[in-house]
Amino acid sequence: CYNEANPIAISQEGAIPLLVNLIDTGTEIAREEAVRTLGNLAFNLENKHAVTEAGALPKLVEILCHGGPALRLEAIIALGK
């Protein structure tokens, strides 16, 4: 069940910078999950700004150029949100 307050609460607890950091430091699976989660959080306008401010956009573009197929797909979906 989706609750609109959850993405805001997740962001307010500081998850977005941690997820952006995980793009650089995580395993391939962790990176996929981080990118997917950032995309889901970006449905909220405030979170979209927070994702951008945390430096995710250049990392997502880099994934499009150099990531594996599954990771590239997640980046495309996240950028579309």
Side-chain angles (χ1 to χ4, degrees):
C1 178
Y2 180 76
N3 182 332
E4 290 183 25
N6 288 343
I8 296 167
I10 291 167
S11 176
Q12 289 174 342
E13 291 298 321
I16 290 175
L18 297 174
L19 290 165
V20 171
N21 184 56
L22 194 56
I23 292 173
D24 291 329
T25 62
T27 65
E28 191 74 6
I29 293 172
R31 294 174 71 207
E32 288 173 23
E33 293 298 327
V35 171
R36 181 180 301 122
T37 302
L38 287 168
N40 289 337
L41 291 172
F43 270 119
N44 173 281
L45 185 58
E46 285 180 36
N47 286 350
K48 190 173 291 198
H49 293 298
V51 168
T52 301
E53 290 173 9
L57 294 182
K59 294 175 188 298
L60 294 173
V61 171
E62 179 71 18
I63 288 169
L64 294 178
C65 297
H66 303 289
L71 188 55
R72 283 197 315 259
L73 177 61
E74 293 300 335
I76 289 167
I77 293 168
L79 287 166
K81 295 178 181 176

